[in-house]
Amino acid sequence: MKTSARITALVLTKPNRKLTFLYLANDVIQNSKRKGPEFTKDFAPVIVEAFKHVSSESDESCKKHLGRVLSIWEERSVYENDVLEQLRQALYGDRKVRKRTYEQIKVDENNCSPRSSPTDPPQTTDLIRALQELENAASGDAAVHQRIASLPIEVQDVSLLDRITDKESGEQLSKMVDDACMLLADYNGRLAAEIDDRKQLTRMLSDFLRCQKEFLAEKEHKLEEYKRKLARVSQVRKELRSRIQNLPDLSRLPNVTGSHVHLPFAGDIYSDD
């Protein structure tokens, strides 16, 4: 299929299927990369335009999934840097705003120092957001699981193609295969994005746990320090009370006339009387 025909097919596709086409392209590109570069090179002339088109007609949620596909291609060096840069421009425009990786939003060592309060750990909102996003992850989509489980055996077993005896039945099976391919490509794309999300969440949780362990060690050290201080202060109080009990009561010492000596207290000295 020529380049113009590929783009035309994508443009004419229903909006809710455009991302699925890119998932399908991703699946083909990555599988072919392991066996040979033919499809990867074949998609190169159109993939940038495809990103531009899908991005221009997509909401933020769809763009996020496109960003996931792009990040996978970056990590696995599917395309050269110049192509990847064109894809970034196609997706994010002149702003050159890319979805921040966890390494970019990762808390720095100062925010993770023991001086920070464990009740207000750094980047907790990012951790909560990542957990919430996984509530609707692809692996928990029971409806899609059922659709995949219900795929007819004819679309999964190439040996059954011998049963096709006429053009009509062949075209019917072709449509079923196309639908099954789109379904599986879309789900595989969603699963790839979920895996990426879970890896990022794992790193976030690992760092969060490390920070909490540092906070815990610091507070345990402080607790032991204050326990020792309390013990010393308690010992001083105990010794002071013992000494006070053994001291004479000067306020009751007799004077030479036989009467008790009255020693002034602070209240006597500063009394208005």
Side-chain angles (χ1 to χ4, degrees):
M1 186 182 294
K2 294 182 179 180
T3 299
S4 58
R6 289 175 180 143
I7 293 298
T8 301
L10 181 62
V11 171
L12 296 177
T13 301
K14 294 180 180 179
N16 61 344
R17 301 297 295 275
K18 295 181 188 292
L19 181 61
T20 301
F21 266 97
L22 283 177
Y23 279 153
L24 179 59
N26 172 59
D27 190 62
V28 172
I29 288 170
Q30 295 210 58
N31 281 305
S32 67
K33 189 174 185 294
R34 291 192 289 268
K35 301 175 182 178
E38 292 79 10
F39 280 102
T40 304
K41 293 180 179 178
D42 195 36
F43 272 101
V46 298
I47 200 66
V48 175
E49 290 302 318
F51 259 67
K52 285 182 180 178
H53 173 71
V54 177
S55 177
S56 66
E57 296 194 357
S58 302
D59 56 18
E60 289 303 317
S61 176
C62 182
K63 289 182 180 179
K64 174 184 175 182
H65 291 302
L66 285 176
R68 291 297 193 197
V69 173
L70 178 55
S71 67
I72 291 172
W73 290 354
E74 289 173 332
E75 291 170 6
R76 300 180 183 180
S77 300
V78 173
Y79 285 110
E80 299 295 331
N81 288 335
D82 60 333
V83 177
L84 293 174
E85 180 59 31
Q86 291 180 56
L87 291 172
R88 285 192 288 267
Q89 288 289 328
L91 182 57
Y92 301 110
D94 294 334
R95 295 177 302 162
K96 296 184 180 181
V97 177
R98 297 177 56 188
K99 181 185 182 301
R100 293 189 302 164
T101 62
Y102 175 59
E103 286 73 18
Q104 291 171 321
I105 62 174
K106 185 177 175 182
V107 295
D108 57 36
E109 293 300 324
N110 292 332
N111 287 336
C112 194
S113 67
R115 292 189 299 273
S116 300
S117 170
T119 59
D120 186 21
Q123 303 295 342
T124 304
T125 53
D126 291 327
L127 182 59
I128 294 173
R129 188 182 303 111
L131 288 166
Q132 289 175 336
E133 288 178 352
L134 287 177
E135 290 182 357
N136 298 317
S139 59
D141 194 333
V144 174
H145 292 172
Q146 181 60 38
R147 290 179 62 192
I148 293 175
S150 301
L151 288 174
I153 188 64
E154 289 82 2
V155 305
Q156 306 176 57
D157 190 346
V158 69
S159 66
L160 298 180
L161 293 179
D162 294 337
R163 298 180 181 181
I164 303 299
T165 58
D166 58 86
K167 186 175 181 180
E168 182 180 356
S169 59
E171 290 178 347
Q172 289 178 351
L173 180 59
S174 177
K175 184 179 185 305
M176 292 170 59
V177 170
D178 286 343
D179 290 342
C181 187
M182 296 296 285
L183 172 65
L184 290 168
D186 181 68
Y187 190 60
N188 287 345
R190 291 173 59 198
L191 283 176
E194 179 184 340
I195 290 172
D196 189 50
D197 286 339
R198 291 189 182 278
K199 287 180 179 179
Q200 180 170 302
L201 178 59
T202 299
R203 293 191 293 269
M204 293 175 71
L205 289 171
S206 177
D207 274 8
F208 185 82
L209 180 60
R210 175 178 57 82
C211 289
Q212 294 305 309
K213 286 181 177 180
E214 291 178 3
F215 296 147
L216 176 61
E218 170 67 15
K219 299 315 173 186
E220 286 178 339
H221 176 74
K222 287 291 185 182
L223 177 60
E224 292 302 319
E225 177 184 342
Y226 291 138
K227 281 182 177 180
R228 291 191 295 269
K229 288 184 178 181
L230 175 59
R232 290 196 296 267
V233 173
S234 297
Q235 183 63 28
V236 170
R237 183 177 64 172
K238 179 179 178 182
E239 292 292 334
L240 179 59
R241 286 180 175 178
S242 176
R243 292 196 179 197
I244 289 175
Q245 290 178 355
N246 294 327
L247 289 174
D249 188 355
L250 298 180
S251 64
R252 297 185 177 276
L253 290 179
N255 59 18
V256 294
T257 61
S259 62
H260 287 83
V261 177
H262 176 73
L263 296 179
F265 290 93
D268 298 325
I269 296 173
Y270 296 104
S271 173
D272 293 335
D273 297 334

